Amino acid sequence: MTTLPRPDAAPVFDTARSPHARLHPVALGRVRLTDTFLEPRRAVNRDVTLLSQYRHLEDTHTLRNFRRVTDGSGEPFVGYVFNDTDVYKWLEAAAWTLAEAHDPALEGMIAEVAGLIEGAQDENGYLDTYYSAGRENERWSDLKDNHELYCAGHFIQAAVAHHRTTGSQHLLNVARRLADHIGSVFGPASQGKRELTDGHEEIELALVELSRETGEKRYLALAEFLIEVRGRGVLRADEGNHTFNSTYYQDHLPVREMNRVVGHAVRMMYLTTGVTDLYLENGDTSLLDAMQRLWTHMTTRQMYVSGGLGARYEGEAFGEDYELPNARAYTETCAAIGSVMWNARMLAATGAAKYADLLEHTLYNAVLPGWSQDGEAYFYQNPLADEGHHRRKAWFGCACCPPNVARLMASLPGYVYSTAGSEVWVNLYVNSEASLPVPGQDVKLIQRTDYPWDGKVELTVGTAAHFALNLRIPAWARGASLSVNGEAQPTPQPETYARVERDWQAGDSVTLELPMPVRRVRSHPRVLENAGRVALLRGPLLYALEGTDHPGTLLDDLVLPPDAELSVQRVPDLLGGVVVLEGEARRSPQADSDLYGPDANEVPAPASGKLRLRAVPYYAWANREPGQLRVWIREE
Amino acid sequence: MTTLPRPDAAPVFDTARSPHARLHPVALGRVRLTDTFLEPRRAVNRDVTLLSQYRHLEDTHTLRNFRRVTDGSGEPFVGYVFNDTDVYKWLEAAAWTLAEAHDPALEGMIAEVAGLIEGAQDENGYLDTYYSAGRENERWSDLKDNHELYCAGHFIQAAVAHHRTTGSQHLLNVARRLADHIGSVFGPASQGKRELTDGHEEIELALVELSRETGEKRYLALAEFLIEVRGRGVLRADEGNHTFNSTYYQDHLPVREMNRVVGHAVRMMYLTTGVTDLYLENGDTSLLDAMQRLWTHMTTRQMYVSGGLGARYEGEAFGEDYELPNARAYTETCAAIGSVMWNARMLAATGAAKYADLLEHTLYNAVLPGWSQDGEAYFYQNPLADEGHHRRKAWFGCACCPPNVARLMASLPGYVYSTAGSEVWVNLYVNSEASLPVPGQDVKLIQRTDYPWDGKVELTVGTAAHFALNLRIPAWARGASLSVNGEAQPTPQPETYARVERDWQAGDSVTLELPMPVRRVRSHPRVLENAGRVALLRGPLLYALEGTDHPGTLLDDLVLPPDAELSVQRVPDLLGGVVVLEGEARRSPQADSDLYGPDANEVPAPASGKLRLRAVPYYAWANREPGQLRVWIREE
């Protein structure tokens, strides 16, 4: 393996000393992906995306917002009030990338950015370029909407990542000063502080991580305060605004009383991530109970089949239960990234395979679609149906999603394995090599697999050691089988970890077979738009139809009868190499009739008969010529 | 009839001298409604709504925004930048109300408001309280979003109405000075003026009306300029904002090149109204052609079955074709009012019955639902499905809808009849008495009907005269019959005006029978949410189910089989007296199954069998205890 700056450091979140973590993520420097699916995308992230994003940060004046604090230019702040976070998320992505190898060019950019940030910090520790160089008197005046704690949180996360991968105290000290300043302003009224919090969560999880990284319990206490102060209905827009009431800001109820994911979806995910992080430290089961209730509500009432979250454009928010429109799905890429972060914490808290299942599903089907194959364009919204107008863009005025994708891709190896004592968990299947810590030694583990295209996984243990190997059996993997050195093991059950404990010898091999038939999935009848429609999945991947594969056909005229057979075809030269699903469909034009009328919905008899259907993985859509998209296919 | 201040004046728009009007609206002072459906609501408007709205204008500081311009108080402007229009629309409503009778209390409030407005006008004619008393230097600096011409337009409309019903030149002169000032700023660059217009249409139709009212052609020319300058893509938000591009402002194409209703729905309706008004003056058929194309697009791709317009919360806008979600229907009350105004102009331009049909349908099913039966609460959005959370509110931060309802209700008698030479058109059926101008004399016409509950209409001519009576036969009125003095006439055809020309004698009677069976209407299959569902209509009214009539039943568990019989019941003590539709439905619970899965949408066999269905007129929903609403009912 490549020499790493700190090979045993840099977990994506560090639960090594968290009393209530049942599993601990393995440092991402210990895992090297060598597959042809994720790693090529990570290479694009490293070689193309990080550089192009840095240029955007310059071009949009986002870095100049830092320079103007000290250069006396008198230039105005440019962009949204929270644009500093674009820099911080980029910095976090760059910091995780350093776990792989030294990269002098990247390190040069990091040094430039780190210097700008340090320079923009006030003597008292305050850091937010919008409220500096002239707006000092307005600080903390609009907590609801002006995102100062949100910005602080993203910086702290970046500083923690930077410390983890480089060992440098430089930015971590800036983060400490910032957190100490925040702690001097916010806290119990009995201490003369302000009993308030920010309209956009993020600081909570960041402070827990800062506490873990520094060992300072006061940052954990501050995170706890900022979580516990929620639920007083203080954060809300003026009367008359129907959207931005206290549910939008998750300030409608104390966390423990919440039963529903509500409001701005990204905020909700960052809140649940932070609360779960807090539980991992304090073991308050009433918090974990609430998180489990919210997770169940989210997955049974509010989630797209892609794993995407947030049905509504207005408020970038969760809607009513079962309100899941396809073309108008908001499903912000950032919300999916938040879900990955939350599910990783829920996995750490419980060890339940369902969280790893959803982490994987969301990564493949709700995060990856948000990023073009060339690494330079992004979706903010990820609809499940489209007419060809929705295309990825190089950047946004509100550019939260692009660097969020970059930091997740950069930290991805950190999600593959977990450990605890002499237990090892394999959460994600990906061709890779790893060095995993079990008591007393590091164990080499090699995964050989063509996942997600094929469900066969061969693991080779490279080091003699006693430990238990826990292999995730996805909920979809009915009929999975497992053998060790060719010897069949008990049938693994879906949605569990299959456990094999033994004295492993170097060269021992484990073979897991996860059957990947095409799955036809229907929606609960209250998801009105999907009536009479089916979605196709195979293994961890959701599929979709694109217009470009069906020239001359409107995708709503295409009917896939329930009994139609679907074949599985590997197409190496398509979309970077994908498996497509093919089958015979029927052309059944929808009526060109009145909008409303007694016979308006009568569908005429089949016109030209049969046609060939080809479904491609949903993550790869909109990488060819613009055209229609349908995830939900007519079945009748 | 009551003595009117100016009995022969005050048409809702005045086409008396418009060269290209085929029909002219009859002055609203000439028509007295005496029915039990509309007139009681107009009485509420006059006796309750106007007073309560005036109090809101005080309580929300909207009137104080005018006072602060002159009182030197230094108070800040309060509310949205366009809040002046709340005052103007209230003033217009009050002015139309004066056509009915003197009302000293109302006249006192009008005088107070008129004085405030005149006081707030600059010496140069400029009028907008946001940009006065300190913001003078910022005037006309953000045409896209700051609504100065929009505000001016609403004032001019109010001033015209005030002049029409009172004969007073007072406010009309303020309007002239304002329009002259606008004309000095906006116009061809060759005249050293600004070639730009406002982001929110309204000024166009107001200037045409001002031209009609004053006889000054320069106001018509200014309206024409402000219409013709559109389509250059100048009005658009910064890059990165997906919603507020130039389609939102209808600045994406010149009006003549538009084929689709797009963007903010109210703006679109005010634009089409203004363009049609311009056509009525200049006869440019390329404008009328464009309006007809837009009308067809709207009614065949973009309109709710209620007549409501604007599918999207984000941008209060039209969506994609067939994008018509029910619970998340935006269908702003103001957009429906705009549609009424536009259809009235299209009727004037063409004489085609379909425009009067849609005017009536929109009034009954998209405007009336926006207003509570007690006259003091309003809907901004008018969904077609709800879980009981959407309730009318007393006022809004953006309070455009309440006074818009008030001005339409106040001017309603002006939509009932049209005339041209010796032709009379009956557009709306309503128990009423009227004095209609035909050449050389006024003809008394009495309507006796229980419309909209019953389709029988008896008209009695009270004055001997030669003229043609044109009776609207709604598109839904198949099998209508017509007789004059008991003598059968040729069968009238739906969606036409049935014409009877003769020498009428005093006491001649015309009997029209419009059959009102219950109509089951289905949606085009591309309206995804309505698959397998049916809506019920009878006569001009759309019906809906409310939870309160179906205790213990989720409305999505209720199935109305295609062959179920529906009875028609008059219920005098329900909702002010309505006709309900009743029938036997089936209870078929929707599965309490997974959100997604192979069997997720399987509906279990009927559980408890039959239950009674009761549908009430949609306009009356949410006037009882909160509960579910469904316009579209499961049919299978």
Side-chain angles (χ1 to χ4, degrees), chain A residues 303 522 524-525 590-591 596-598, chain B residues 303 522 524-525 590-591 596 598 601:
Chain A
M303 193 176 76
R522 298 181 186 86
H524 191 286
Q590 300 214 56
Y596 305 109
Chain B
M303 193 176 75
R522 298 180 187 87
H524 191 285
Q590 300 214 58
Y596 304 109
N601 73 346

Side-chain angles (χ1 to χ4, degrees), chain A residues 228-250:
Chain A
E228 299 288 358
V229 80
R230 286 191 171 270
R232 304 180 183 187
V234 176
L235 303 170
R236 56 179 304 137
D238 299 337
E239 224 177 315
N241 189 314
H242 321 309
T243 299
F244 301 100
N245 60 21
S246 57
T247 55
Y248 171 83
Y249 304 97
Q250 292 89 38

Side-chain angles (χ1 to χ4, degrees), chain A residues 475-505:
Chain A
W476 47 260
R478 287 161 206 263
S481 65
L482 179 65
S483 65
V484 177
N485 294 333
E487 193 178 311
Q489 305 291 309
T491 302
Q493 295 306 305
E495 208 170 12
T496 67
Y497 280 88
R499 185 170 185 274
V500 185
E501 180 177 7
R502 57 190 283 157
D503 287 314
W504 298 95
Q505 304 304 315

Side-chain angles (χ1 to χ4, degrees), chain A residues 49 54 70 92 111 151 208 246 288 369 375-376 379 402 409 470 494 498 618:
Chain A
T49 302
Y54 190 87
T70 54
E92 186 187 336
C151 290
V208 176
S246 57
L288 184 62
E376 298 194 277
F379 277 141
M409 293 308 295
N470 294 276
Y618 172 65

Side-chain angles (χ1 to χ4, degrees), chain B residues 21 137 168 171 175 217 316 348 350 361 386 389 411 448 484 525 608 622:
Chain B
N137 290 337
S168 161
L171 286 171
K217 291 295 176 200
E316 308 182 314
T350 66
H361 185 78
D386 189 56
H389 312 311
S411 61
R448 289 291 166 253
V484 177
S608 59

Side-chain angles (χ1 to χ4, degrees), chain B residues 313 379-383 385-392 621-622:
Chain B
Y313 270 67
F379 277 142
Y380 198 114
Q381 302 90 12
N382 292 276
D386 189 56
E387 301 307 310
H389 312 311
H390 192 74
R391 304 298 287 180
R392 293 183 188 83
W621 87 277

